[in-house]
């Protein structure tokens, strides 16, 4: 059996099951509406773990397979899949749905994901915790409209295979400041810059997702730098449309600055959304 091991250094998320369980236990107890698709951020858990957990926990509990869509791929890149049999998490080995993966590799002309990337790995302990009996499909999608179509194909192939799936899209929002080379409101510690990121750039991207406006999602991600992994979100939107899930709802929004004592000179936006049924 081939196992995909951790590629991220220690510190992104707890490496032992007790610490993961302690972090997530309050979310497992939450009741209410659930959905088949969601969006979660992918920074280290210190910064975005609570918001990410809200997105993962919003998914229906009865899925055969959890499809985690990652990003960080430019337009025109091929979709990339984890080609191992399972991935390592603090709870052991999380098996990959090989039948579904192989069908999607053929349909999407996918390639093997051989890169170190956080967009999926950082969410896997949450997936394994909330869905201990489900399988995983690891897929990263490029930032172009083919990813919206890929989401529709995911729905179609899963239906043909009679596989109940949840789709979890992974993206962070605006990366602002000198660390990221994006400072339209200035490069100093600046409450106004943080307010602009929160109330304008990120808010308009979130509105585009909620409105199921795929063209605006891609445009805002590419030209306004409002998201780092638009392909993942587009995939979830295409899946939601094909499944007839309706509109996404914002569960919670925050920024990396929330974890700091004062406004830093660089910060990132995070949102959890879900297509609730």
């Amino acid at each position: 059996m081939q196992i995909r091991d951790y590629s991220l250094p220690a510190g992104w998320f707890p490496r032992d099951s007790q610490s993961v369980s302690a972090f997530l236990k309050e979310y497992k107890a939450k009741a209410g509406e659930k959905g088949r698709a969601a969006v979660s951020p992918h920074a280290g858990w210190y910064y975005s773990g609570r918001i990410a957990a809200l997105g993962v926990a919003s998914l229906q509990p009865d899925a055969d397979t959890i499809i985690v869509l990652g990003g960080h791929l430019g337009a025109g890149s091929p979709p990339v899949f984890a080609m191992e049999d399972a991935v390592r998490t603090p709870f052991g080995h999380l098996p990959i749905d090989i039948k579904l993966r192989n069908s999607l590799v053929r349909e999407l002309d996918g390639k093997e994901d051989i890169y170190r990337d956080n967009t999926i790995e950082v969410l896997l302990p949450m997936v394994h915790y909330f869905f201990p009996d489900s399988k995983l499909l690891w897929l990263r999608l490029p930032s172009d409209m083919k990813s919206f179509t890929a989401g529709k194909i995911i729905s179609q192939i899963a239906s043909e295979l009679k596989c109940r799936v949840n789709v979890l899209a992974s993206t962070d929002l605006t990366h602002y400041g000198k660390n990221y080379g994006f400072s339209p409101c200035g490069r100093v510690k600046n409450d106004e810059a943080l307010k602009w990121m929160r109330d304008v750039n990120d808010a308009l991207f979130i509105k585009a997702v909620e409105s199921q406006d795929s063209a605006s999602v891609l445009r805002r991600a590419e030209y306004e730098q409002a998201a780092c992994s638009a392909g993942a979100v587009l995939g979830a939107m295409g899946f939601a449309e094909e499944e007839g899930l309706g509109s996404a709802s914002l569960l919670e929004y925050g920024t990396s600055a929330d974890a700091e004592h004062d406004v830093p000179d660089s910060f990132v936006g995070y949102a959890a959304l879900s297509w609730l049924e």
Side-chain angles (χ1 to χ4, degrees):
M1 174 180 283
Q2 288 187 309
I3 306 299
R4 191 180 187 97
D5 208 342
Y6 302 131
S7 67
L8 297 175
W12 280 79
F13 55 84
R15 293 296 178 90
D16 64 280
S17 59
Q18 293 88 352
S19 296
V20 173
S21 297
F23 187 98
L24 297 175
K25 63 181 179 181
E26 66 177 286
Y27 304 102
K28 192 170 187 178
K30 287 181 181 288
E33 295 178 312
K34 299 285 184 179
R36 287 288 177 200
V39 175
S40 282
H42 56 233
W45 285 21
Y46 174 78
Y47 291 103
S48 70
R50 186 179 64 82
I51 294 174
L54 290 171
V56 182
S58 75
L59 294 167
Q60 291 281 3
D62 62 346
D64 300 312
T65 299
I66 311 300
I67 301 175
V68 184
L69 301 178
H72 288 166
L73 294 175
S77 299
V80 292
F81 293 79
M83 301 301 288
E84 294 84 0
D85 302 304
V87 299
R88 181 185 175 193
T89 84
F91 298 100
H93 295 155
L94 175 58
I96 287 176
D97 189 332
I98 295 172
K99 183 177 181 180
L100 178 59
R101 179 195 65 198
N102 290 349
S103 295
L104 287 171
V105 167
R106 289 191 296 269
E107 196 69 28
L108 300 177
D109 193 23
K111 307 301 180 185
E112 182 178 5
D113 192 349
I114 60 173
Y115 305 99
R116 294 168 61 93
D117 183 80
N118 60 301
T119 57
I120 293 178
E121 183 178 327
V122 74
L123 296 175
L124 295 184
M126 296 184 184
V127 170
H128 210 175
Y129 176 82
F130 289 115
F131 305 98
D133 300 319
S134 299
K135 294 182 180 179
L136 168 74
L137 192 137
W138 169 310
L139 167 59
R140 289 197 292 130
L141 293 173
S143 291
D144 59 42
M145 288 306 297
K146 289 183 180 179
S147 294
F148 185 81
T149 303
K152 290 178 169 290
I153 292 171
I154 287 170
S155 171
Q156 295 162 6
I157 296 297
S159 178
E160 290 173 9
L161 296 178
K162 298 184 177 0
C163 178
R164 292 173 299 181
V165 301
N166 291 336
V167 169
L168 176 65
S170 171
T171 192
D172 290 344
L173 302 184
T174 305
H175 290 57
Y176 189 99
K178 67 178 184 180
N179 290 350
Y180 310 112
F182 181 66
S183 304
C185 295
R187 293 181 57 182
V188 297
K189 295 184 179 183
N190 190 334
D191 287 320
E192 287 301 313
L194 182 59
K195 185 176 188 301
W196 174 84
M197 185 187 81
R198 182 183 63 235
D199 297 341
V200 178
N201 216 40
D202 285 351
L204 288 172
F205 182 86
I206 291 167
K207 182 179 179 181
V209 178
E210 292 175 323
S211 302
Q212 200 68 8
D213 187 346
S214 56
S216 182
V217 163
L218 184 58
R219 183 174 63 252
R220 297 210 63 81
E222 293 300 298
Y223 297 106
E224 305 298 335
Q225 299 189 39
C228 65
S229 301
V233 178
L234 290 168
M237 293 172 69
F239 174 82
E241 181 170 287
E242 189 71 13
E243 294 277 319
L245 300 183
S247 301
S249 299
L250 179 65
L251 302 177
E252 188 152 341
Y253 173 82
T255 77
S256 60
D258 298 337
E260 307 293 340
H261 295 299
D262 59 4
V263 178
D265 55 20
S266 298
F267 33 82
V268 181
Y270 310 122
L273 299 101
S274 187
W275 283 260
L276 298 172
E277 297 179 341

